[in-house]
Amino acid sequence: MRSENRALIASLVLCVALAGPALAQKKYDTGASDTEIKIGNIMPYSGPASAYGTIGKALGAYFNKVNAEGGINGRKVTFITYDDGYAPPKTVEQTRRLVENDDVLLILNSLGTAHNTAIQKYLNTKKVPQLFVATGATKFGDPKNFPWTMGWQPNYQSEGRIYAQYILKNHPNGKIGILFQNDDYGKDYVKGLKDGLANKVMIVAELPYEPTDPTVDSQMVSLKASGADIFYNVTTPKFAAQSIKKAAEIGWKPVHLLNSVSASVGAVIRPAGLENAQGILTALYGKDPTDPVWNDDPGRKEWLAFMDKYYPEGDKTSSFPVYGYSVARTMVQVLQQCGDDLTRANVMKQAASLKDYETGMSLPGIKINTSPTDFYPIEQMQMGRFNGESFVPFGPILDGEIGGS
Amino acid sequence: MELFLHQVLAGLATGGIYACMALAVVMIYQAIDHLNFAQGEMAMFSTFIAWQLIQWGFPYWLAFGATIVISFAAGVLIERVVLRPIHDAPILSHVVAFIALLSILNSAAGFLWDWTIKSFASPFGSGQFLGQNLINKHDAGMIAVTILLLLLLYLFFRHTRIGLAMRAAAANPESARLAGIRVGWMTALGWGMAAAIGSVAGMLIAPVVFLEPNMMLSILLYGFAGAVVGGLTSPGGAVIGGFMMGVIENLAGTYIPVVGREMKLSIALIIIVAILTVKPSGLFGRPVVTRV
Amino acid sequence: MLVTPTELRSAEARQPPAPTIGGVAMPVWRLIMLAAGLVVVVAIPFALKNFFIFQITLAIIYAIAILGLNLLTGFNGQFSLGHSAFYAIGAYTAAIMMENLGIGYVWTIPVAAIVCFVFGFLFGLPALRLEGIYLALATFALAIAIPQVLKSSVLEHWTGGVQGIVIIKPDAPFGLPLSSDQWLYLFTVAVAIVMYVCATNLVKSRTGRALIAIRDHPVAASAMGINVSLYKSLTFGVSALYTGVAGALGAIAIGFVAPDSFTFVLAVALFVGLVVGGVASIPGTLVGGLFVLFVPNIAESVSKGLAGAVYGVILLLVIYLMPTGAAGLVRWMTAQFIRLGRARRS
């Protein structure tokens, strides 16, 4: 080979060798570095929704586990969580504190529909990811208008449609009585059911209650008197327990559809009375931790080990820690996919590229999928029936089909 | 018609809850001539203590009794220790102290026992009262206990010397002192009794609404409203007021179209305020006459 | 003749010298404090990060709200636990005007003021018959009712129901090189200065004295010819006006209104701020505003699980040490300094 050619080849090789590290260069936005990833979170640890605070604790516990096992790609997670007392102005203040004062990379699993609405514009303007919001409100999966906001759980309207499908198939001549919380969450669920029923007139009673009501006894009495034989129960845990107890007490035994938010053995069914809840239906996307059928399931075993070691004071019969665990695992998956490119843009990109991801506590067959046009990670659910001990899944995996692909 | 009857009965049942709370509210009012906003949280905390005792293996009635005694002592302690330093402070500062107490008790309960609901046993068992499908055993029992407490309070205030001394201390502390009454200890006694009554209310209410740190907040408001409508100087009126609140709220919710369901509480409160504008001391209260 | 001219002259001669601290007369001290305050106020937007400017803005807004409450409860003796209702009405007025009607944010302030004045006055009329604890209950009922009304489907078209209304924060006008937080801060301060000056003038005027007379001894006041009913209702209106303006400013600063933002928790917080700052003290309301905003955060940083308990303990300590509020403490300290000065001089 002539010397000029050798020189040319040598310089080409040198260029490629120099370019190599440049291609694998690390990229960071505020909140990420070689050693640390800062994640921010706002939860109602006090106030009317304080029962959900356990989700925040589960999230923190999971990140402790991740750090104890070496972190994500060698980086430790610093999880900063603040209380907003379930008041949107406080949510705004705490979010700004996290973004501007604590310099977090992203906001994870902030809870509450109005609360997430309050911070949505701010986070999208500042281009900070608002990931896996802890609400099923349908509006949070809108990549065209809010490219930095993504939901996680099946949205409420999808779930309502699934119940509508079930009713149309199994009780086409029934009369539906609805008890719903008079806020965004309740109304979203009702809309989903109504959309799913299309024009079929089946609803005979539609009664709201306020979270400030001491009991829902009056509504239950009216529902029974309305002659409904299907009960669509859109209540939060405390009122779900009251309604289940009251229904049994007044001798009302309708086909009982309970929304997934309150389908928790530990937090709802057990206080209400296991025998009173026989036959209650719900739509599941996660494994019921009390169901003995999962005793040998590796996903459930891993969750139990996590609870024992990192969150021993948590309730192992409640679905809330399962929820927190699953959200945290999804977050870790996204961060792992990011590799060394921990820019906010890449975090969103990876969040929108989840393919058939399973969190270990999701029901077999239910997978997390996202794409640039599909910001609803979980869209599938399966019907479950309470058999006196746990919610047992039955039937096929259903798709709620709302928006996205 | 049947719905009406059932709603009235359901209203009386919930009204029983409010009446119980109203009694505790009136008790404290008789003792300190002011409302204690922390009353609900004190009742809630007492109920948690009872729950904890039952968890540790105490039989129900032993836990019930122990809780009443503990609550009484705690009430006296709170008055002597927490409120002593601000005895001479203006009344508004007292209200802030009550708010502080509320915050402390609520937060401590959530920290010690978690924010999720717990079931609390009813001493009256489950099932319908007298077999009829009108009112269940627990609600009937609750109403009975409330009336019993009412009777005891009436006898205490009207026919015992201590009761008289307490009323005197609250109405006119200076004169009472001149008559030889130890006003400070009367107030403390009043607090203790209010705490004890509150604990009974809590233990009766928890089986219905489920025990959790936030359970008393709205019930306290209903209890206030019931006590005020009935007349803060009349325990009997307060109890009737509590029952009225329950029934009015239920009927408003059932029969007023559209807004009835969504604004039950507002409508009930509007009715209360309307009653107050016509009879400012409540339906059964004695008008307070001040010398100019 | 009650007093002879000679007695009058010697009485004048026997007047104690005007109180001073360190040789400087009180009015001069007040001017110095005011000037120092103004310097701090103007320096803040250029010395602090945006987030802190945002927090200080909120504290000032709460201070204005507490000032409204102070006029009613502190100066006029009408016990209100429902001022979150007027705050909410002001906030929603601003939100509806800005988002549904497309009117600029500057106009929302006077409109909110008028709307809330009317509401306050109308509420004050039936409230005339209620005293003390009964009035407290009625106002508390108002605080509970307002979020329910805002949520109701009847008004949903205007209020957005439970979803609330998102407001776009205004930017600095005329292309000034200020961030929206800095501009909002200056705007809030300007409004605050106007409101505080008006309040001070009101309290020092004959009307102010009439209000205080009604608070201390309504029967004597009426015997002296004060139209108690009219004044009480008007005070309710003015008080609501102040808190409503604060609500409008708050809506613009937060950028969002929803029924959940205006629960009775807010009413209780305003009341606490009133007492901590000092009942019937206008400068005290600033301390109250700072307390309402920052102390819950401090409590949370001390203990996550027991934040509420820590807050309660702090509150109790404040009440023990300053039973008459921060203003009371300042008054007491000032009296000590003056006494020291006199002792040293004599």
Side-chain angles (χ1 to χ4, degrees), chain B residues 153-160 163-164 167 233 235 286:
Chain B
L153 270 184
Y154 175 79
L155 292 171
F156 175 78
F157 277 122
R158 294 265 160 213
H159 298 286
T160 65
L164 185 62
R167 279 160 58 209
T233 50
R286 255 174 298 112

Side-chain angles (χ1 to χ4, degrees), chain A residues 45-52 54 57 182 187 206-215 217-219 221-222 224-225 237-239 241-243 245-246 249-251 266-268 270-273 313 315 318 320, chain B residues 2-3 6-7 10-11 13-14 17-18 106 110 114-120 126-128 133 135-136 139 206-210 212-219 222 249-251 253-254 258 261-265:
Chain A
Y45 292 108
S46 67
S50 46
Y52 297 123
T54 179
K57 295 199 187 127
N182 191 17
K187 292 188 178 178
E206 199 177 320
L207 301 178
Y209 74 91
E210 299 286 331
T212 47
D213 287 350
T215 71
D217 288 355
S218 166
Q219 286 90 334
V221 167
S222 292
K224 181 178 176 202
K238 174 170 136 153
F239 298 100
Q242 285 183 7
S243 60
K245 192 155 169 248
K246 191 72 184 175
E249 202 182 278
I250 57 179
V268 175
R270 186 163 298 125
E313 69 273 22
D315 184 357
S318 165
F320 292 169
Chain B
E2 205 192 312
L3 178 62
H6 275 125
Q7 287 294 0
T14 0
I17 298 178
Y18 306 150
N106 186 284
D114 214 359
W115 298 93
T116 47
I117 58 175
K118 297 175 170 44
S119 69
F120 192 84
S126 52
Q128 295 297 315
N133 211 331
I135 190 173
N136 67 29
D139 292 330
V208 181
V209 302
F210 290 102
E212 47 112 13
N214 292 327
M215 79 173 181
M216 281 310 218
L217 233 38
S218 50
I219 293 176
Y222 281 96
E249 191 207 10
N250 270 16
L251 292 178
T254 316
V258 187
R261 277 292 162 207
E262 291 175 355
M263 302 202 282
K264 268 198 316 181
L265 180 50

Side-chain angles (χ1 to χ4, degrees), chain A residues 152-335:
Chain A
W152 186 80
Q153 65 210 67
N155 65 67
Y156 300 143
Q157 285 186 31
S158 291
E159 193 178 328
R161 290 159 95 93
I162 287 177
Y163 293 131
Q165 280 179 42
Y166 179 85
I167 292 176
L168 288 173
K169 199 161 129 211
N170 295 286
H171 304 276
N173 299 317
K175 293 193 274 227
I176 307 175
I178 307 179
L179 176 65
F180 69 101
Q181 185 155 296
N182 191 17
D183 65 6
D184 231 354
Y185 137 88
K187 292 188 178 178
D188 226 8
Y189 263 115
V190 173
K191 179 171 193 309
L193 184 84
K194 285 184 173 168
D195 288 346
L197 292 174
N199 291 319
K200 194 147 189 234
V201 176
M202 292 177 77
I203 300 173
V204 295
E206 199 177 320
L207 301 178
Y209 74 91
E210 299 286 331
T212 47
D213 287 350
T215 71
V216 287
D217 288 355
S218 166
Q219 286 90 334
M220 293 303 289
V221 167
S222 292
L223 281 172
K224 181 178 176 202
S226 72
D229 52 14
I230 303 175
F231 178 29
Y232 185 36
N233 191 348
V234 184
T235 52
T236 45
K238 174 170 136 153
F239 298 100
Q242 285 183 7
S243 60
I244 294 172
K245 192 155 169 248
K246 191 72 184 175
E249 202 182 278
I250 57 179
W252 188 40
K253 292 184 178 44
V255 173
H256 191 146
L257 293 161
L258 180 65
N259 71 102
S260 63
V261 171
S262 293
S264 165
V265 176
V268 175
I269 307 295
R270 186 163 298 125
L274 296 171
E275 65 290 354
N276 294 332
Q278 269 277 15
I280 290 186
L281 300 160
T282 187
L284 301 165
Y285 58 97
K287 295 174 186 148
D288 184 340
T290 62
D291 192 347
V293 82
W294 307 118
N295 280 348
D296 292 319
D297 174 77
R300 201 309 202 90
K301 281 196 183 150
E302 201 182 337
W303 177 77
L304 215 52
F306 153 74
M307 290 294 286
D308 282 333
K309 187 152 180 224
Y310 292 98
Y311 189 25
E313 69 273 22
D315 184 357
K316 293 186 184 61
T317 62
S318 165
S319 56
F320 292 169
V322 175
Y323 177 90
Y325 171 86
S326 308
V327 169
R329 281 180 74 106
T330 317
M331 182 77 253
V332 168
Q333 171 68 23
V334 168
L335 289 171

Side-chain angles (χ1 to χ4, degrees), chain B residues 221 224-226 228-230 244-245 248 265-283, chain C residues 122-131 133-143 145:
Chain B
L221 173 65
F224 271 162
V228 168
V229 125
M244 274 178 64
M245 278 298 299
I248 292 176
L265 180 50
S266 313
I267 292 175
L269 291 170
I270 290 173
I271 295 176
I272 299 294
V273 174
I275 293 179
L276 284 180
T277 40
V278 173
K279 287 210 79 184
S281 332
L283 289 172
Chain C
L122 290 177
F123 188 80
L125 286 175
L128 286 172
R129 298 210 40 157
L130 302 171
E131 287 291 323
I133 220 68
Y134 302 92
L135 181 62
L137 183 70
T139 50
F140 202 50
L142 187 67

